[in-house]
Amino acid sequence: MFTEKLFKQTNAYTKSKLKMSKADIEKPIIQIKGLSVKTHEGEILKSINLDIPRNKIVVLLGPSGCGKTTLLKSLNRLTDLHKELIVGGEVLIDGKDILKASQDLPIMRQKMGLLSQRPFPLPVSIYKNVSYGLKLKGVRNKKLIAHSVESNLKRVGLWDEVKDRLNNPANSLSIGQQQRLCLARGLAVKPTIILADEPTSALDPISTKTIENLFKELKEHYTIILVTHVLRQAVRLADHVVFMYYGDIIEQGHPDDILKNPQTEILKKYLIDGN
Amino acid sequence: MNRSRRLTDLIVTIWMRGGLYLLLSIPALIAIGLYWKAAPLLANHSFAELILSAKWFPMKGEFGFMPFIYSSAYVTVLSFFLSAPLCLFAAVYLTQFGKKRLLNVMLPVIDILAGIPSVVYGVWGVLVIVPAVSDYVAPFFGTSSSGYSLLAGGVVLAVMCIPYMLNMLIEVFHTIPVGMKEASLSLGATHWEMVKHVIFKKGFPGIISAFGLGIAKAFGETIAVLMVVGNTLDISVSPFSPGYPLPALIANNYGEMMSIPDYDSALMFAALLLFVIILVINLFFRYFIHKTEQS
């Protein structure tokens, strides 16, 4: 009974994907139309238009302060936390504009797992970190929660390292482990999109490689939007590269086209300086 | 390094260390001084008798401090329950929900409130709170009161503690990383759930510190409370009854303490008691914070 229920829940996403027509799968999962973010001091994003393809790793590339993080946070409306920001335009996720106030924010945000520059485990135990989103979703079945915690920790390769100390505080883990815990925590709520804001910038090379390999595996089921300014990481991971500069999209396309044959002087200069 | 640089370094180090030791020694010197002056009273009466007895007849040599300790504890607890929830939710609103402009307006207001002399709060209490208790609050609860009561003392103390607690709580909530709040929201928490699970949990030691500061401040406050609390020896459960807190005892009787035998010692003992209680409150909160952080 329990296994059956669990099977149903864990495969809900795959089933819903199977139901999708080929046209639906080829349709972009996110359509950004005229997205602008400004403060009283100036514009951060200048009327951005962008389509995010489904089940791909889309890399947002560009120098610091070009608006990559703001674009990422506009997608799950974390910009709402900053009252000074004025957000305009449309962000359509599966055809629904998430910028409209009528959208149910918590449910909408659960569709998008967030991985920050630095890991931010919640001030509770390892176990409670992973089960946090499930409890918010209303899941009360302890066996189901325990199974989800185990399977998601296994998915990010953390289970063997923490299975004997699940009740320890999450901040007792190393930074690399904390980042994987944050990923497991995000995956537990079964998002369709993963927003990753320079998730490896605070990690050592081994942890970075682990996270990158995870992204490669995860893209089969998830759309990943990755902010980075590490060019080699973009080359290693990207299916689609978006180069931003001063709040604008300068170039976008397949990494082979964009990074090997840049069309604009700004990108050429960025690639030379970046390399 | 030449000799003058070495000498400067040495002088500054001595100065810093000297300043530190002087600061550390002040509370110890106060405690020793108070104990020395209170010693004659302690020689004639046991400590337990002094703090547990309710008989206060200085002319007969009877010095029971229980009514004073009771009144102090009553107005402190009352003021805490009136001010703590208000400060907690005001700080949450200002730091998590309100616009930055509102916080920028509020911060100087809080500073001004903290800077108002306590006698002004006392006058405000006499002119506003005491008549309000006498004319409206007590009749509403079907009783009568002169207004000079433990409730008036608690209300005035609560208003006085608000700026200190609020300021500290705002600082505490500002130190919580934005990334942690974003993590909670992105997992599907509503704004209130984020406050409950992240802000209160992460800020718990700071919240306790702020409350501890408020309680210690309330326990030691003198003039404003003295003006509204009635200064009558009474141990009553009713908040509409008058009271007589420890600081008021010292302030009211300091002028006549030399005329009655052992009276000066009794007042010094009251001061020592106040000092020790505030010290114990602070130590308790520090221990509690330490234990919370450990767990």
Side-chain angles (χ1 to χ4, degrees), chain A residues 40-76:
Chain A
H40 292 294
E41 287 160 13
E43 278 186 308
I44 302 170
L45 292 180
K46 299 171 185 169
S47 192
I48 297 254
N49 292 298
L50 178 66
D51 285 350
I52 306 284
R54 201 178 291 270
N55 293 11
K56 303 276 184 213
I57 298 180
V58 176
V59 169
L60 303 180
L61 194 66
S64 298
C66 72
K68 307 182 294 285
T69 299
T70 307
L71 173 57
L72 201 74
K73 287 184 179 175
S74 305
L75 300 182
N76 64 353

Side-chain angles (χ1 to χ4, degrees), chain B residues 178-295:
Chain B
V178 178
M180 204 173 274
K181 299 181 221 169
E182 289 180 347
S184 173
L185 291 172
S186 70
L187 289 165
T190 60
H191 227 103
W192 166 242
E193 284 166 338
M194 181 274 286
V195 167
K196 200 168 70 172
H197 296 129
V198 174
I199 305 291
F200 286 168
K201 220 156 210 168
K202 183 77 180 161
F204 190 67
I207 293 169
I208 297 300
S209 286
F211 287 170
L213 177 81
I215 288 175
K217 163 94 185 140
F219 208 93
E221 180 48 44
T222 312
I223 296 297
V225 185
L226 175 153
M227 291 167 80
V228 299
V229 86
N231 303 323
T232 306
L233 281 169
D234 196 2
I235 298 182
S236 171
V237 184
S238 168
F240 301 109
S241 305
Y244 206 161
L246 273 172
L249 166 74
I250 302 164
N252 273 340
N253 298 291
Y254 197 77
E256 54 184 283
M257 67 177 185
M258 303 306 282
S259 55
I260 303 166
D262 273 351
Y263 204 21
D264 59 334
S265 273
L267 294 187
M268 288 303 124
F269 179 74
L272 181 65
L273 216 52
L274 199 62
F275 180 85
V276 171
I277 291 170
I278 291 173
L279 192 72
V280 169
I281 291 172
N282 276 303
L283 289 175
F284 170 76
F285 278 101
R286 292 219 165 268
Y287 177 75
F288 188 71
I289 292 162
H290 175 68
K291 279 281 161 198
T292 312
E293 280 172 344
Q294 265 189 338
S295 67

Side-chain angles (χ1 to χ4, degrees), chain A:
Chain A
M1 176 70 182
F2 164 68
T3 327
E4 195 180 318
K5 195 175 171 186
L6 187 71
F7 180 80
K8 275 183 191 165
Q9 197 165 359
T10 49
N11 290 290
Y13 175 76
T14 322
K15 279 182 181 174
S16 68
K17 242 182 90 184
L18 287 172
K19 280 181 200 164
M20 281 180 158
S21 65
K22 200 183 169 198
D24 278 343
I25 290 170
E26 281 170 5
K27 249 170 65 179
I29 190 166
I30 304 175
Q31 289 174 289
I32 300 167
K33 294 178 180 177
L35 177 68
S36 67
V37 179
K38 49 190 166 187
T39 64
H40 292 294
E41 287 160 13
E43 278 186 308
I44 302 170
L45 292 180
K46 299 171 185 169
S47 192
I48 297 254
N49 292 298
L50 178 66
D51 285 350
I52 306 284
R54 201 178 291 270
N55 293 11
K56 303 276 184 213
I57 298 180
V58 176
V59 169
L60 303 180
L61 194 66
S64 298
C66 72
K68 307 182 294 285
T69 299
T70 307
L71 173 57
L72 201 74
K73 287 184 179 175
S74 305
L75 300 182
N76 64 353
R77 282 184 54 180
L78 282 177
T79 42
D80 287 11
L81 280 181
H82 308 274
K83 306 276 183 211
E84 69 279 12
L85 295 179
I86 305 156
V87 183
E90 287 181 349
V91 176
L92 302 168
I93 295 182
D94 286 330
K96 287 179 191 164
D97 185 5
I98 59 117
L99 294 187
K100 281 196 179 141
S102 60
Q103 289 287 330
D104 191 342
L105 266 181
I107 292 171
M108 184 276 293
R109 281 182 178 139
Q110 282 188 328
K111 290 180 184 169
M112 285 177 267
L114 178 73
L115 211 54
S116 309
Q117 276 183 27
R118 266 182 54 210
F120 286 106
L122 299 170
V124 284
S125 67
I126 296 167
Y127 186 91
K128 283 184 178 170
N129 259 275
V130 187
S131 64
Y132 181 75
L134 288 171
K135 285 184 178 166
L136 291 175
K137 261 186 153 178
V139 181
R140 291 285 175 269
N141 186 322
K142 285 184 181 174
K143 281 183 182 172
L144 199 67
I145 292 172
H147 187 276
S148 175
V149 170
E150 185 178 336
S151 62
N152 283 296
L153 285 173
K154 276 180 179 166
R155 204 168 192 183
V156 298
L158 199 58
W159 177 250
D160 289 336
E161 295 163 52
V162 300
K163 65 182 176 193
D164 298 325
R165 48 180 176 137
L166 289 170
N167 291 321
N168 283 11
N171 61 11
S172 64
L173 299 174
S174 73
I175 297 291
Q177 287 173 324
Q178 284 182 23
Q179 193 64 298
R180 279 185 285 153
L181 176 71
C182 291
L183 184 56
R185 182 180 69 185
L187 294 176
V189 292
K190 302 192 185 306
T192 49
I193 300 159
I194 294 171
L195 307 173
D197 186 8
E198 296 182 48
T200 57
S201 62
L203 305 186
D204 60 86
I206 295 166
S207 302
T208 299
K209 201 177 171 188
T210 311
I211 295 282
E212 286 185 1
N213 289 340
L214 271 169
F215 280 173
K216 283 178 194 165
E217 287 169 25
L218 291 171
K219 76 170 179 178
E220 196 185 324
H221 301 293
Y222 303 90
T223 303
I224 298 170
I225 305 172
L226 171 69
V227 166
T228 185
H229 44 217
V230 181
L231 282 172
R232 274 172 288 182
Q233 190 170 52
V235 173
R236 285 195 296 266
L237 295 175
D239 297 310
H240 188 89
V241 173
V242 178
F243 176 68
M244 294 179 69
Y245 193 76
Y246 276 105
D248 228 339
I249 292 176
I250 306 297
E251 279 190 54
Q252 60 168 307
H254 193 274
D256 287 344
D257 302 331
I258 293 286
L259 302 176
K260 287 179 186 164
N261 189 21
Q263 299 298 307
T264 56
E265 284 306 311
I266 301 170
L267 181 54
K268 277 179 197 168
K269 193 170 183 308
Y270 180 78
L271 292 176
I272 292 164
D273 292 347
N275 280 321

